[in-house]
């Protein structure tokens, strides 16, 4: 967090002298914060449209000096001529995806919902919801059931009928509210009751779980009731989602002998990810199915064959996996979506899963082990890396097999899982000269206000620095940068003082390269603003970013308003250095400035070489921020201030590099200038400041 400090006039603040020991501790803290994760959900920030989860094992973050790709597939349309989706090696215990448990002779629709009785409803969480054949609704009553004071649900049939079985489904939350003991009665007149079934010690292992109960009965009754005498945890209320009644057996609606496998765009509505986008590119592999929960479910599908890929000791395999949601409640409580590996079959008939191979976290490459490791995160992309050369050196890969297996009894359930970016390659691990190169300030940006996991600002700064300089993908948000969350565009590089998504930001002021506009054009503020409605935002790819604590760079996509431009930034305590590399054939060579979140002012001086600005983004008790800056070794041929707070500087066509430096102050423009003179004096180049910043870290 950058903390605003007021300086004494004439001084940028006391110089902080950091011991080697303190610096080591601070860097260790930064490294730790940049690899923080949580819960049951994987791995490094990858090259594509979506972030993977933050809790990465170290070996899955291995970078390589060089990679020799032996085989790869990203499930893109142009690649899919070699992909097999119908080559089933074997399967058991499956039903068709989308199926549910159902009754052979279902009488639930014959329940007269106008004749329901029993314990009091909790508003619209009423008894009629038990008979709507949905599990995302429920009945709840504020009673802790006992033999003396049970929970009762009474219902009448439209005509007398014989009931011999029923299905109960648990509700969406709080397992302690689940029914655990009950009696089921029938009556011909609603007054004299016959006990038909009694259950005790029932436990639901998951939410929205359906359980089937059968009993012997030869009589037809008009009235039935369920009397609950105990819930699971003694909660002060009792709930369940559905009660289906019938006369016959219980079956899956449609059995199957395989998984359903197909190439799709990508998952929809996952945590922090762009809806309908793959990890990389436009295609991913989707596998869906229904596990009958019998403890002996498996499926093996050949995806690729006749590969003839030779394995040596430095051969790796990696792939992306996203365990997704299928259940009505939006979560796979049995973690069936994690019971997958991408397996390899070798020409000698052995398989990777049978060789006790382990991934980078030390987890065995088998479906059950992957699920039980708790290292995969639901609804997020996870990276799995395996050094296959450790167990298979000298072998030859023949087939790539998608392998699902669940050997434990569980609640029958649908599951859906996505895969992307499969690679088999030879690689040599990369080593760095500086510890700072292990830091990635984008970690923790795979988050939103609705998925609060990280919520970090990727700020280039110094230890206890006065400013952050951050890339901006969400100029209208309290979180400046979202790794994915429905944006592929960079709006600016901006001064930031954001403490958290919840506290918000202040003292913002942005800069941006531009090749579409020049200062001589008749421009409006809407043309040049760097705000949320800005027209000059540029597409970019994460593979073209370098994000360190002391340095950030990004190359913007061709055909965008800053076509092919690379922007770099590094910092001092109060100062910021920016270097922009323009293509030689750029239509224009321009730089935009804007106080995009609040009012402010801008002025060019000394033939455009010097500029002053203010930011009135004074949220959270902040004061007005002053900016003083200078272009370095370059001079604009034209400048324009637009809307009093936005500006554009245009350089001679063919200019390949534009460099400028500026500093901030909360006292005055004069103080900002003094800060710049002290921290980035004349003669100091971009690379000098970059080296200094890295050295301080």
């Amino acid at each position: 967090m950058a903390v605003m400090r007021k300086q004494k006039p004439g001084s940028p603040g006391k110089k902080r002298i950091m011991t080697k020991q303190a610096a080591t501790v601070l860097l260790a803290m930064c490294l730790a914060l940049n690899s923080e994760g949580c819960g049951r959900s994987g791995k490094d920030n990858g090259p594509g449209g979506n972030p993977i989860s933050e809790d990465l094992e170290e070996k899955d973050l291995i970078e390589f000096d060089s990679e020799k790709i032996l085989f790869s597939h990203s499930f893109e349309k142009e690649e899919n001529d070699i992909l097999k989706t119908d080559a089933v090696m074997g399967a058991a215990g499956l039903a068709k995806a989308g199926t549910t448990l159902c009754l052979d002779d279902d009488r639930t629709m014959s329940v007269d919902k106008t004749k329901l009785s029993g314990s009091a409803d909790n508003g619209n969480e009423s008894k009629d919801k038990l008979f709507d054949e949905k599990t995302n609704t429920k009945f709840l009553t504020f009673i802790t059931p006992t033999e003396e004071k049970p929970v009762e649900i009474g219902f009448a049939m439209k005509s007398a009928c014989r009931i011999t079985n029923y299905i109960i489904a648990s509700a969406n939350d709080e397992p302690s509210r689940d029914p655990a003991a009950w009696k089921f009665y029938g009556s011909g007149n609603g007054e004299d009751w016959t006990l038909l079934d009694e259950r005790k010690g029932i436990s639901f292992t998951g939410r929205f779980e359906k359980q089937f109960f059968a009993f012997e009965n030869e009589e037809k009754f008009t009235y039935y009731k369920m009397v609950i005498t105990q819930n699971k945890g003694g909660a002060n209320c009792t709930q369940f989602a559905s009660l289906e009644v019938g006369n016959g057996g219980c079956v899956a609606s449609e059995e199957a002998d395989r998984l359903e496998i197909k190439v799709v765009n990508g998952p929809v509505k996952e945590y922090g990810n762009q809806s309908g986008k793959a990890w990389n590119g436009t295609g991913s592999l989707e596998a869906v199915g229904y596990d009958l929960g019998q403890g002996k479910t498996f499926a093996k599908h050949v995806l690729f064959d006749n590969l003839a890929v030779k394995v040596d000791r430095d051969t790796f395999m990696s792939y992306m996996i996203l365990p997704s949601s299928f259940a009505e409640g939006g979560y796979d409580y049995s973690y069936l979506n994690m019971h997958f590996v991408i397996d390899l079959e070798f020409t000698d008939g052995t398989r990777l899963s049978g060789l006790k191979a382990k991934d980078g976290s030390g987890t065995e490459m088998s479906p059950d082990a992957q699920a039980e490791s708790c290292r995969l995160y639901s609804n997020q992309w996870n990276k799995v890396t395996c050094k296959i050369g450790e167990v298979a050196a000298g072998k030859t890969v023949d087939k790539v097999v998608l392998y699902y297996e669940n050997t434990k009894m569980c609640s029958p359930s649908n599951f859906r899982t996505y895969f992307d970016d499969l690679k088999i390659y030879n690689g040599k691990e990369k080593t760095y000269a500086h510890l700072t190169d292990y830091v990635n300030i984008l970690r923790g940006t795979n988050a939103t206000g609705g998925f609060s996991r990280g919520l970090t600002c990727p700020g280039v700064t110094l230890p206890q620095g006065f400013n952050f300089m951050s890339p901006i993908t969400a100029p209208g948000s309290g979180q400046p940068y979202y790794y994915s969350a429905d944006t592929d565009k960079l709006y600016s590089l901006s001064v930031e003082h954001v403490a958290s998504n919840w506290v918000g930001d202040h003292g913002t002021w942005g800069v941006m390269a531009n090749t579409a506009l020049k200062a001589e054009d008749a421009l409006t503020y809407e043309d040049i603003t760097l705000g949320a409605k800005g027209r000059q935002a540029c597409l970019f790819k994460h593979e073209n970013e370098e994000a360190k604590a002391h340095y950030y760079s990004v190359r913007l996509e061709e055909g965008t308003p800053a076509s092919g431009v690379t922007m770099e930034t590094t910092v001092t305590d109060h100062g910021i250095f920016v270097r922009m590399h323009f293509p030689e054939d750029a239509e224009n060579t321009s730089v935009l400035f804007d106080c995009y979140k609040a009012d402010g002012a801008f002025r060019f001086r000394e033939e455009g070489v010097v500029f002053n600005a203010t930011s009135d983004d004074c949220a959270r008790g902040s004061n007005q921020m002053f900016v003083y800056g200078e272009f370095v070794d370059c001079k604009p041929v034209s400048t324009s201030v637009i809307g009093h707070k936005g500006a554009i500087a245009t350089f001679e066509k063919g200019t390949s590099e534009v460099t400028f430096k500026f500093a901030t102050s909360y006292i005055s423009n004069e103080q900002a200038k003094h800060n710049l003179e002290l921290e980035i004096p004349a003669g100091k180049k971009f690379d000098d400041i970059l080296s200094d910043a890295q050295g301080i870290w």
Side-chain angles (χ1 to χ4, degrees):
M1 178 177 71
V3 180
M4 186 189 80
R5 297 169 294 133
K6 291 190 176 181
Q7 325 94 293
K8 293 180 180 180
S11 169
K14 291 183 179 180
K15 185 168 182 67
R16 293 177 295 283
I17 301 175
M18 185 174 295
T19 66
K20 182 177 180 180
Q21 181 182 15
T24 303
V25 171
L26 182 60
L27 182 58
M29 290 174 64
C30 181
L31 286 164
L33 288 169
N34 272 283
S35 60
E36 193 67 37
C38 64
R40 181 170 185 130
S41 329
K43 303 271 159 205
D44 76 311
N45 290 319
N50 282 319
I52 56 180
S53 51
E54 312 295 340
D55 191 15
L56 303 180
E57 296 292 341
E58 183 176 346
K59 291 184 180 179
D60 280 335
L61 290 173
I62 291 173
E63 294 188 66
F64 297 92
D65 276 326
S66 62
E67 288 184 9
K68 180 182 178 182
I69 303 297
L70 306 176
F71 174 80
S72 67
H73 203 283
S74 290
F75 306 102
E76 304 298 319
K77 290 181 179 178
E78 60 272 17
E79 299 177 295
N80 290 334
D81 55 332
I82 64 170
L83 172 67
K84 299 176 181 294
T85 57
D86 296 314
V88 182
M89 298 178 70
L94 292 170
K96 184 177 175 61
T99 197
T100 59
L101 284 182
C102 60
L103 301 172
D104 270 341
D105 185 7
D106 192 344
R107 301 296 180 91
T108 308
M109 298 308 292
S110 296
V111 172
D112 187 344
K113 294 181 184 179
T114 67
K115 296 180 180 180
L116 302 178
S117 61
S119 302
D121 300 333
N122 177 42
N124 65 354
E125 295 175 331
S126 50
K127 286 181 284 294
D128 61 302
K129 301 299 191 299
L130 295 173
F131 304 102
D132 61 7
E133 297 192 332
K134 297 178 181 178
T135 58
N136 60 354
T137 60
K138 67 182 179 183
F139 160 67
L140 183 147
T141 186
F142 281 93
I143 296 175
T144 304
T146 63
E147 290 283 353
E148 294 74 27
K149 187 181 179 181
V151 170
E152 294 194 13
I153 301 99
F155 57 97
M157 309 304 292
K158 294 177 181 177
S159 61
C161 63
R162 186 166 69 102
I163 300 298
T164 60
N165 52 50
Y166 54 98
I167 290 175
I168 293 177
S170 59
N172 63 318
D173 59 5
E174 293 300 331
S176 62
R177 302 173 182 174
D178 291 346
W182 62 81
K183 297 174 182 178
F184 195 84
Y185 294 90
S187 173
N189 56 17
E191 295 181 2
D192 302 312
W193 294 94
T194 300
L195 179 64
L196 301 175
D197 188 41
E198 182 174 5
R199 303 287 168 170
K200 294 181 180 179
I202 301 300
S203 178
F204 291 85
T205 60
R207 303 301 83 208
F208 310 104
E209 177 187 348
K210 289 186 173 184
Q211 291 196 21
F212 172 76
F213 305 95
F215 54 88
E216 294 183 2
N217 174 39
E218 298 298 329
E219 293 188 52
K220 293 182 179 181
F221 295 106
T222 302
Y223 301 94
Y224 292 89
K225 69 177 178 180
M226 181 178 177
V227 180
I228 302 169
T229 56
Q230 183 183 359
N231 61 27
K232 183 175 181 179
N236 67 346
C237 53
T238 301
Q239 67 178 27
F240 58 110
S242 67
L243 174 59
E244 302 171 39
V245 293
N247 178 23
C250 174
V251 296
S253 56
E254 188 174 353
E255 294 190 3
D257 59 0
R258 50 162 293 159
L259 299 174
E260 295 180 39
I261 297 174
K262 61 182 177 180
V263 173
V264 298
N265 289 337
V268 178
K269 295 183 179 179
E270 309 299 342
Y271 299 152
N273 298 330
Q274 292 191 55
S275 179
K277 288 206 172 183
W279 164 249
N280 189 16
T282 59
S284 63
L285 186 72
E286 178 190 62
V288 296
Y290 186 95
D291 191 322
L292 294 172
Q294 300 166 348
K296 50 185 179 181
T297 306
F298 80 95
K300 295 179 181 179
H301 290 247
V302 176
L303 300 179
F304 308 99
D305 61 6
N306 301 317
L307 297 187
V309 172
K310 297 188 180 300
V311 178
D312 65 27
R313 290 199 59 82
D314 292 319
T315 302
F316 292 78
M317 176 182 69
S318 67
Y319 58 88
M320 306 302 300
I321 176 173
L322 190 150
S324 188
S325 302
F326 200 110
E328 292 179 54
Y331 198 83
D332 184 345
Y333 290 94
S334 298
Y335 307 115
L336 298 175
N337 51 16
M338 300 180 187
H339 282 261
F340 277 100
V341 290
I342 291 184
D343 201 3
L344 302 177
E345 183 174 300
F346 303 99
T347 53
D348 62 3
T350 60
R351 293 194 178 97
L352 186 66
S353 59
L355 298 176
K356 305 297 182 182
K358 294 183 178 180
D359 66 16
S361 71
T363 301
E364 190 173 316
M365 291 291 289
S366 70
D368 278 345
Q370 289 289 305
E372 292 168 6
S373 71
C374 298
R375 66 173 293 274
L376 300 177
Y377 284 75
S378 290
N379 299 317
Q380 298 169 75
W381 285 107
N382 303 262
K383 186 175 184 180
V384 176
T385 302
C386 176
K387 190 173 183 179
I388 61 179
E390 290 185 345
V391 297
K395 294 178 181 286
T396 300
V397 178
D398 181 42
K399 297 181 178 68
V400 174
V401 179
L402 183 62
Y403 181 16
Y404 174 88
E405 186 174 40
N406 175 31
T407 59
K408 291 187 176 181
M409 298 287 290
C410 69
S411 175
S413 181
N414 295 283
F415 57 88
R416 174 185 282 114
T417 306
Y418 295 89
F419 302 86
D420 203 2
D421 276 18
L422 168 66
K423 289 196 301 182
I424 303 173
Y425 56 95
N426 289 338
K428 297 291 185 181
E429 294 183 24
K430 188 173 184 178
T431 58
Y432 291 107
H434 300 280
L435 289 175
T436 52
D437 291 323
Y438 290 96
V439 176
N440 183 349
I441 59 175
L442 300 183
R443 298 296 296 279
T445 61
N446 174 21
T448 66
F451 177 53
S452 180
R453 184 160 178 255
L455 291 178
T456 57
C457 171
V460 179
T461 189
L462 292 186
Q464 301 178 354
F466 193 74
N467 302 307
F468 284 163
M469 190 63 169
S470 173
I472 304 298
T473 65
S477 169
Q479 183 179 345
Y481 182 102
Y482 293 97
Y483 191 95
S484 176
D486 293 326
T487 180
D488 291 310
K489 292 184 178 180
L490 189 78
Y491 286 76
S492 69
L493 300 178
S494 176
V495 178
E496 299 289 315
H497 299 87
V498 60
S500 77
N501 185 71
W502 313 117
V503 175
D505 206 351
H506 64 272
T508 53
W509 189 77
V511 304
M512 186 65 176
N514 190 273
T515 58
L517 305 174
K518 57 182 182 294
E520 304 95 294
D521 294 337
L523 301 172
T524 66
Y525 178 71
E526 288 68 28
D527 292 325
I528 61 97
T529 181
L530 305 180
K533 297 182 179 180
R535 302 168 185 170
Q536 307 308 317
C538 295
L539 294 171
F540 75 106
K541 294 179 179 178
H542 294 301
E543 62 187 341
N544 296 325
E545 285 180 290
E546 184 175 349
K548 308 299 180 185
H550 62 288
Y551 172 76
Y552 175 84
S553 71
V554 61
R555 181 171 62 81
L556 304 170
E557 290 295 282
E558 294 183 6
T560 67
S563 180
V565 175
T566 296
M567 300 193 298
E568 303 174 277
T569 188
T570 189
V571 297
T572 62
D573 192 0
H574 301 78
I576 292 155
F577 227 136
V578 178
R579 182 164 63 188
M580 298 177 174
H581 303 271
F582 289 80
E584 291 184 0
D585 60 351
E587 182 66 25
N588 297 292
T589 303
S590 297
V591 180
L592 306 179
F593 304 90
D594 187 25
C595 182
Y596 58 89
K597 271 195 173 181
D599 203 3
F602 193 98
R603 182 162 65 103
F604 286 109
R605 297 191 295 110
E606 300 182 22
E607 298 182 321
V609 173
V610 173
F611 52 87
N612 293 104
T614 58
S615 169
D616 294 341
D617 185 2
C618 301
R620 283 75 186 168
S622 171
N623 297 326
Q624 185 181 58
M625 186 180 74
F626 299 89
V627 179
Y628 173 87
E630 301 172 358
F631 289 104
V632 179
D633 298 330
C634 56
K635 179 181 177 181
V637 296
S638 59
T639 60
S640 180
V641 176
I642 303 167
H644 70 268
K645 65 173 184 172
I648 179 172
T650 299
F651 296 80
E652 185 176 352
K653 191 168 184 176
T655 300
S656 61
E657 183 178 299
V658 173
T659 306
F660 56 95
K661 58 184 180 178
F662 61 93
T664 65
S665 168
Y666 278 93
I667 295 176
S668 64
N669 269 314
E670 291 74 17
Q671 183 64 49
K673 179 180 179 182
H674 188 58
N675 291 343
L676 186 65
E677 291 169 343
L678 288 172
E679 297 179 12
I680 312 180
K684 278 273 191 177
K685 303 298 184 183
F686 183 94
D687 290 334
D688 298 327
I689 300 303
L690 174 62
S691 179
D692 291 346
Q694 185 175 43
I696 291 170
W697 276 110

